[in-house]
Structure formats: structure tokens, C-alpha cells
Amino acid sequence: MEKNKKPFYKKWWFWLIIVVVAGVFGSAEESNEKASQNKAEVVEGEKQNKEAREQKNEPKSDSKVDDAEVENAGYTIKFGELLDVTENEMNNVAVFKTKIEPSFTNDKTIKQNYHNVEDLIRNQGADKFDEIQYWAVADMTDGSESKVIAFTLNKQTIEGIANENIHAIELGDYVDDLWILPSLKN
């Protein structure tokens, strides 16, 4: 006796394959839409930065730095390039200016800066300051250079980092005057 064979499109495994393939293509399409939306937000943020610079008649930032000044400061950063360190001994304030590269997520792009500051304080003696001002620039898609993050740490926060009571991943909750490029906020 010969079994009555079902056509392949009536078998359960066929439909399982269809569902899995549809799910994979659907999530890939959703990821592409999200990436396009993020790119549009970055472009919009860059336009706003450019317009703000033009309104203030500010020159575009110049990444050329006096190497002797940076070398004499004796500091380095873990992520990116240290452009400038300005120490105001009278007020015991340090300003660190850096240039970073975008990371694979906006959150990682932001947090690499917190890791830079943590390393400066814990391993390079920046805990001697009463205040640290930190800001970072990055290259934009239009070829310009724009500020992407800036924040200030008071003495209490600096001591918390030095004593390992505050860690880099939570630093965003402790800094003052936090400014982040709007397109990096998700």
C-alpha cells in the first residue's frame, strides 16, 4: 500500500522555515530603518552645530595642536587623542580637550569619555584638581569637526572616582553641566 504523500507546502517544517526567514528579513529591514533614522539625526545635529557656529561667527575648530604643550602636560587618554590640557593653578582647575572616534553605539561613544576621565583621575594624578572640565570633538560626516560631549567634575566627584566609589559607567549621573550632541542621545 502506497502512502498518500502531502505536498511540501502542507508540511510543518516548510512553514517553520518560512516564518524564520521572514523574521530574519524583517529584523534586518527594521535595523536598516533605525540606522537611516540615526544617520538623519546625526546630519541634523551637524547642521545645527554649523548654524550655531555661523551665528556666533566662531571659526571652525582646528585640530592642530602644539605637541610640546600636550607632551609637557604629561597626560594621555585611553580613547581618542588628547588635543590640549590647560591647568589653572590659581583656581586648581584643569580643562582636557580631546578628539574621539565614534564607537559602534552611541552609548559607547559617550561612555568612552567617562573612561578617559576615570583613567586620568585614578592613574595619572588628575585627582589633585578641585575641578575638571572635559570636552571632546569628533569629525562629522560633512568633514567639519564638532563638539560631541562636554561636562564638569567637582572635587567631590573627583574624590569619589579616585576612591573607587564612583565608576566610569555611572559617571553620567555625577557630572555637572553635561552636554551631549543631540544625535547621540537615544
Side-chain angles (χ1 to χ4, degrees):
M1 214 183 234
E2 199 175 307
K3 276 190 169 179
N4 215 359
K5 289 189 175 182
K6 290 183 187 177
F8 69 91
Y9 59 86
K10 289 188 177 182
K11 298 197 179 205
W12 66 270
W13 54 264
F14 173 78
W15 291 106
L16 177 65
I17 292 171
I18 296 296
V19 169
V20 169
V21 169
V24 168
F25 283 118
S27 66
E29 189 174 304
E30 186 178 306
S31 294
N32 287 341
E33 288 176 23
K34 195 169 192 173
S36 296
Q37 181 182 7
N38 285 345
K39 184 176 181 181
E41 288 173 0
V42 168
V43 170
E44 183 61 31
E46 291 171 9
K47 286 179 186 176
Q48 290 172 355
N49 284 340
K50 185 176 180 181
E51 289 170 4
R53 267 196 313 274
E54 289 171 356
Q55 286 175 352
K56 292 180 181 178
N57 292 324
E58 290 181 2
K60 287 186 179 179
S61 347
D62 187 4
S63 64
K64 294 178 184 173
V65 176
D66 181 6
D67 290 333
E69 185 178 351
V70 172
E71 287 176 4
N72 291 338
Y75 295 103
T76 60
I77 58 171
K78 294 173 79 169
F79 303 101
E81 174 186 358
L82 183 61
L83 298 178
D84 185 36
V85 178
T86 304
E87 296 182 26
N88 181 330
E89 292 177 9
M90 181 182 280
N91 295 330
N92 202 24
V93 174
V95 180
F96 292 90
K97 299 175 186 176
T98 65
K99 183 172 184 178
I100 61 166
E101 295 290 324
S103 191
F104 55 93
T105 68
N106 291 344
D107 187 53
K108 299 280 186 204
T109 300
I110 293 166
K111 288 187 177 172
Q112 68 181 320
N113 297 287
Y114 299 151
H115 286 281
N116 283 343
V117 170
E118 180 184 62
D119 183 63
L120 288 166
I121 293 169
R122 287 192 185 156
N123 302 320
Q124 299 182 49
D127 59 330
K128 69 182 180 184
F129 299 107
D130 291 333
E131 181 179 287
I132 294 176
Q133 298 173 15
Y134 177 98
W135 60 274
V137 297
D139 290 329
M140 300 290 119
T141 55
D142 68 357
S144 68
E145 188 176 87
S146 184
K147 181 169 66 170
V148 292
I149 188 169
F151 53 86
T152 303
L153 290 85
N154 60 33
K155 186 61 176 175
Q156 184 179 5
T157 304
I158 294 168
E159 288 174 352
I161 294 168
N163 297 329
E164 297 187 18
N165 294 325
I166 300 173
H167 302 281
I169 59 172
E170 56 192 10
L171 196 54
D173 297 332
Y174 292 93
V175 298
D176 298 321
D177 305 322
L178 177 62
W179 181 88
I180 299 173
L181 182 69
S183 61
L184 289 178
K185 296 178 186 177
N186 287 28

